[in-house]
Amino acid sequence: MRKLIAGAAAAGLAALLSGCSVADVLTSDEILEEFDEIVRLDGEGAERRVNYAGTATLSRSYMRMPALAPVRWPLAWAFGRRAPQRLENPAAHVRALLRELPNETRGGLLSAPDLQTCAAAYTRFAWLAELDDNAMTRIHCLDGLSRIARQLNRRPFEGDFAAITVPLSPAEEAEARARLEGQRAAAGDVDAAEVAAVIEALTSKPLSTYEARIMLIDELMGWLASVRAPDVRAAVSEGLLRAMDHCARGVLIRSVTGRARELAEVRLCGMEQIRRLGGARTVPLLLAVMAASPSERASGASAFDTDVLVMLRLIHYCGQLSKEHSETVVRLPGRQEWEATSPAEFLARTILEERDYYSQLRTAAIVALTWCLGRPTIVPDAGWVREWIDARGA
C-alpha cells in the first residue's frame, strides 16, 4: 500500500510539473534575463535579423517549479540559480517567456507597475513583433504590448490621428538631441525645466523608424536610471511614457498593413489590440491604414485584405458603430492620393462588389450596414444599398 501511495504521489507530482510553463514562477527580471540570453539581434537597418541561441545560461529547473516556489531561493543559494542549458526549441522557450512577462509587470495589490521594467519589456516585445518570422511569436508580442499599455493606463491612440502619425523631422530631432546632450554634460547642474522642454520636444512626435522609436526607449531608460532629482526623474518618466506610446502605436499599425496570407492571424491580433486601446474611433483609422495604395490597386490588388477572417473582423467592427461614427473618414498625412472611405461606405462597397450567392462577406456586411445606419429591418436585397450610395453621390 505504501508503495502504491508513493507511486501515485510521484505520478501526480510529475503530472503537475509537466503542465507548468518554463516561466510560471520566474520574476519579470528573470524573464528578461533569460530572454536576453537566448535572443540576439544581428545586423543593422534592413539587414537586422533575430537569431536564437541553442545553448544559454538559464534558470535551473527548481527555480521554475511552482511546487518548489517556497524554497527556490534557498535552493538557489545552495546549488546555484542558473546553469548552461541546451534548448531543443529556443523560439518556443522564448514564446513561453513572452506569454508570462505581462503577468509579472502588472504590479501588486498595493503597488503600481514599475516603469523601468515595463519599458524593458516593451523593447523586447517591439523588436520581435517587427522582426520575427513566426506568426505566433508576433501575436504574443502584440498582446504583450497592449497589456502593458493598459497596465500603465496609456492611450496611445488618443488625439488627432493625423497629428500622432506624423514623425519628428530630422532637423527637430537633431536640435532636441543637441540640447539633451548639453543637459547630460551638465552632470549635477541639470536644469529641470530645460530637461522637461527638451524631452517634450524629442517625444512630442514619433521618430521616423521603428528602430529609432525602440532605441529611444532604451536611451530614456538609461537616463532615468542615472538621475536622482525628483523633478528631473518626473520629466524623463513622462517622456519615456510618450516614447512607449509612439512605439506601441507604430508596431500595432505596421502589424495590420501587410497582405501576407501566413500573417493573417497577426493582422487579426493587431486589429483587436488597436480596437481595445483606442475604442470605436480607431475603426476608420484601421480602414485608412489597411487600404491598398493607388499603385497597388493599379497592379491588380484588392482595395482591402483578401483574407476572409480579416474582412469579417473589419465588417464586425464597422457594424458596431453609431451612424455618426460610421460616416467618419480618416485622412492621414502622406496618403493624400489614397481613396479615403468611411466605415459605412466600406460596408456598402463590400456589399455591392461581392457576388450574391457565393460571398462569405455580403450578408454580414448587409447586417452591419443596417445596424450602423439604424434601419429598422434587415433587407437581403442590395437595391437599397445602391440607392443609399447614389443619394450620397459616392
Side-chain angles (χ1 to χ4, degrees):
M1 177 63 72
R2 191 173 300 169
K3 290 183 178 179
L4 288 175
I5 294 174
L13 181 59
L16 175 65
L17 297 181
S18 65
C20 301
S21 161
V22 299
D24 280 342
V25 189
L26 299 183
T27 65
S28 56
D29 287 342
E30 290 172 305
I31 291 174
L32 293 170
E33 181 182 57
E34 287 208 359
F35 180 99
D36 291 341
E37 282 284 336
I38 301 170
V39 180
R40 297 196 312 268
L41 298 176
D42 297 327
E44 298 291 336
E47 302 301 317
R48 196 186 299 271
R49 294 290 183 270
V50 174
N51 290 307
Y52 294 93
T55 300
T57 302
L58 307 177
S59 297
R60 291 180 180 272
S61 59
Y62 47 75
M63 297 296 292
R64 306 176 185 279
M65 295 178 180
L68 298 179
V71 295
R72 75 186 196 114
W73 287 110
L75 289 172
W77 178 80
F79 303 107
R81 183 170 66 87
R82 301 195 302 157
Q85 298 175 37
R86 176 71 183 169
L87 293 169
E88 295 297 326
N89 189 339
H93 187 102
V94 168
R95 284 193 288 274
L97 299 176
L98 295 173
R99 282 194 300 271
E100 181 62 23
L101 184 52
N103 296 330
E104 301 301 326
T105 59
R106 62 189 174 189
L109 292 176
L110 302 178
S111 60
D114 177 69
L115 178 56
Q116 286 273 41
T117 303
C118 289
Y122 245 60
T123 60
R124 275 67 169 187
F125 284 132
W127 281 121
L128 291 192
E130 293 284 4
L131 295 172
D132 202 280
D133 294 330
N134 185 279
M136 190 53 62
T137 299
R138 290 190 179 192
I139 287 169
H140 287 319
C141 291
L142 298 179
D143 179 70
L145 283 172
S146 176
R147 289 174 63 186
I148 294 177
R150 297 197 300 275
Q151 289 170 9
L152 294 170
N153 296 315
R154 303 304 295 176
R155 300 290 183 268
F157 291 93
E158 275 189 346
D160 179 64
F161 292 135
I164 63 177
T165 54
V166 173
L168 200 67
S169 72
E172 291 173 318
E173 181 181 356
E175 179 185 356
R177 287 193 176 281
R179 293 169 62 190
L180 192 59
E181 288 304 318
Q183 287 302 308
R184 282 177 173 163
D189 192 24
V190 174
D191 184 338
E194 173 66 2
V195 169
V198 171
I199 292 183
E200 166 68 27
L202 188 59
T203 60
S204 60
K205 301 176 184 178
L207 299 185
S208 57
T209 66
Y210 78 84
E211 296 101 328
R213 292 190 287 270
I214 298 172
M215 288 188 283
L216 179 59
I217 294 175
D218 281 329
E219 186 178 350
L220 293 174
M221 284 172 56
W223 203 19
L224 183 61
S226 67
V227 297
R228 294 291 176 266
D231 46 0
V232 178
R233 287 184 62 82
V236 178
S237 296
E238 283 301 313
L240 178 55
L241 286 168
R242 286 192 297 271
M244 291 166 67
D245 287 345
H246 295 319
C247 177
R249 187 190 314 117
V251 169
L252 288 169
I253 287 177
R254 280 168 60 90
S255 75
V256 303
T257 55
R259 294 288 180 91
R261 183 170 299 178
E262 65 273 15
L263 295 179
E265 291 182 348
V266 175
R267 296 196 292 281
L268 288 168
C269 180
M271 293 164 66
E272 179 65 18
Q273 303 308 338
I274 290 172
R275 179 69 172 76
R276 287 182 184 181
L277 289 171
R281 66 188 297 270
T282 59
V283 177
L285 173 67
L286 284 171
L287 293 176
V289 299
M290 295 178 74
S293 68
S295 60
E296 290 170 333
R297 294 294 303 276
S299 63
S302 60
F304 287 94
D305 210 300
T306 57
D307 185 87
V308 171
L309 292 180
V310 172
M311 288 295 287
L312 284 172
R313 175 86 40 104
L314 272 177
I315 289 169
H316 178 67
Y317 287 165
C318 292
Q320 294 176 331
L321 302 177
S322 65
K323 187 175 189 299
E324 177 186 358
H325 286 110
S326 73
E327 299 190 6
T328 301
V329 176
V330 169
R331 291 181 172 85
L332 298 176
R335 291 186 169 224
Q336 287 83 355
E337 71 276 19
W338 263 253
E339 182 181 355
T341 185
S342 69
E345 290 169 341
F346 163 77
L347 292 172
R349 294 189 183 281
T350 300
I351 294 165
L352 297 176
E353 292 172 4
E354 290 289 305
R355 298 177 65 182
D356 289 4
Y357 303 113
Y358 303 101
S359 172
Q360 296 173 277
L361 306 176
R362 189 172 181 272
T363 299
I366 287 175
V367 173
L369 185 60
T370 300
W371 284 345
C372 68
L373 294 182
R375 290 172 60 89
T377 57
I378 296 171
V379 179
D381 183 79
W384 67 271
V385 180
R386 171 57 66 188
E387 292 174 1
W388 180 79
I389 285 282
D390 291 343
R392 294 167 58 87

